Amino acid sequence: MTAMDDADLIMIIEDEAKIAHLLADYLEREGFRTLSWPEGTGALDQIRTHNPALVILDLMLPGMDGITLCRELRTFSQTPVLMLTARVDEIDRLLGLKIGADDYVCKPFLPREVVARVQAILRRTRPPATELQPLATEEPALQYRNLTLYPERYRCEAAGQGVELTPLEFRMLQTLMSRPGRVYSREKLMELCYTDDRIISDRTIDSHMKNLRRKLNALLPDDLIQSVYGVGYKLG
Ligand code: CA
């Protein structure tokens, strides 16, 4: 799949209008957009033009059949293909032919089942933003319970969800996470987290820490940052 694909667009190549409509209907209810094409002829041009996120492809089509179409498609695109077949025993045969389809569904099917398969294929072939692939030379992520910090990407995730942090909040959290349990005084935090020489007060650290905790606590069941009375802050 290219990075330029149309993320919500599902192309349905199916000559039985009733089936095409039914699938379009169910997919659109799940937030997809759909485009139907009723024959093999011209289908590849349609895929080239619209660059869909996934193609639902019927096996028996007028013009070019689904097997040939899928093979042709694979010569220029990795767009996932969900193949519709009329007989269960066809699926074994198709698997043996290695035509490059990502999944198969046999007719008659429940439209809901097809939608679930579409979603599963998209999940598999396109990891969501929260499952970022590690960069080759990336500084290791910091992990504490359900909190993850990716220093080089300036990304913080709490319970799998991204949290928007200011650069200062990020550095404070990074400092605490580098040594869980260690108490950092306000002075130490200022020294480690402020990159310029502005004169700031203890109260400034407190207010930034308060904002940081509020953001994390919106997503986490427990307050992971503790204030240690008269000293400073720690994680855990
Ligand atoms: Ca057909």
Side-chain angles (χ1 to χ4, degrees):
M1 193 188 315
T2 65
M4 299 292 287
D5 68 313
D6 194 335
D8 304 322
L9 184 67
I10 309 294
M11 186 134 177
I12 303 164
I13 304 172
E14 163 66 87
D15 55 317
E16 287 171 75
K18 250 172 83 176
I19 291 179
H21 283 153
L22 192 66
L23 285 177
D25 197 34
Y26 271 77
L27 285 163
E28 282 166 18
R29 264 188 252 170
E30 290 299 316
F32 293 104
R33 287 176 304 119
T34 64
L35 197 68
S36 295
W37 190 255
E39 55 184 356
T41 314
L44 289 170
D45 286 338
Q46 288 296 312
I47 295 171
R48 268 203 191 91
T49 306
H50 298 284
N51 206 10
L54 182 143
V55 177
I56 296 177
L57 180 60
D58 186 33
L59 180 67
M60 298 299 287
L61 291 164
M64 190 185 274
D65 68 275
I67 294 177
T68 313
L69 234 157
C70 194
R71 282 189 168 144
E72 289 282 315
L73 177 66
R74 284 288 170 262
T75 63
F76 68 89
S77 166
Q78 285 307 305
T79 301
V81 171
L82 174 61
M83 190 80 118
L84 305 179
T85 74
R87 296 202 323 261
V88 174
D89 57 352
E90 263 174 358
I91 295 178
D92 281 340
R93 185 173 69 88
L94 292 170
L95 284 171
L97 289 175
K98 295 191 171 40
I99 58 172
D102 295 80
D103 202 358
Y104 298 87
V105 172
C106 188
K107 294 175 182 176
F109 49 73
L110 293 171
R112 256 181 300 137
E113 166 72 10
V114 177
V115 173
R117 299 274 191 111
V118 165
Q119 288 166 331
I121 296 171
L122 290 177
R123 268 199 302 277
R124 205 164 68 212
T125 54
R126 184 170 51 195
T130 51
E131 290 173 29
L132 293 168
Q133 302 300 317
L135 304 173
T137 56
E138 186 167 19
E139 222 179 293
L142 290 170
Q143 179 90 43
Y144 181 77
R145 290 172 57 183
N146 42 7
L147 202 57
T148 313
L149 218 58
Y150 300 90
E152 287 184 6
R153 276 180 269 177
Y154 246 77
R155 181 173 173 82
C156 170
E157 286 176 13
Q161 289 192 63
V163 187
E164 294 290 327
L165 298 180
T166 65
L168 178 62
E169 289 163 358
F170 193 93
R171 284 195 295 274
M172 290 198 307
L173 185 58
Q174 189 177 0
T175 303
L176 295 178
M177 283 181 78
S178 66
R179 298 274 301 276
R182 173 182 166 170
V183 181
Y184 286 88
S185 66
R186 292 175 178 80
E187 292 73 24
K188 193 73 189 165
L189 285 171
M190 279 189 262
E191 180 193 318
L192 292 171
C193 301
Y194 274 88
T195 48
D196 56 22
D197 294 327
R198 274 180 299 159
I199 307 295
I200 48 156
S201 73
D202 293 7
R203 299 263 289 278
T204 317
I205 286 285
D206 287 340
S207 78
H208 288 294
M209 196 59 88
K210 197 171 141 197
N211 290 336
L212 172 61
R213 291 168 83 176
R214 181 177 44 75
K215 289 178 184 178
L216 298 179
N217 292 345
L219 296 169
L220 298 175
D222 305 313
D223 201 348
L224 297 185
I225 298 174
Q226 312 292 328
S227 52
V228 180
Y229 186 74
V231 187
Y233 296 92
K234 66 167 185 168
L235 194 71

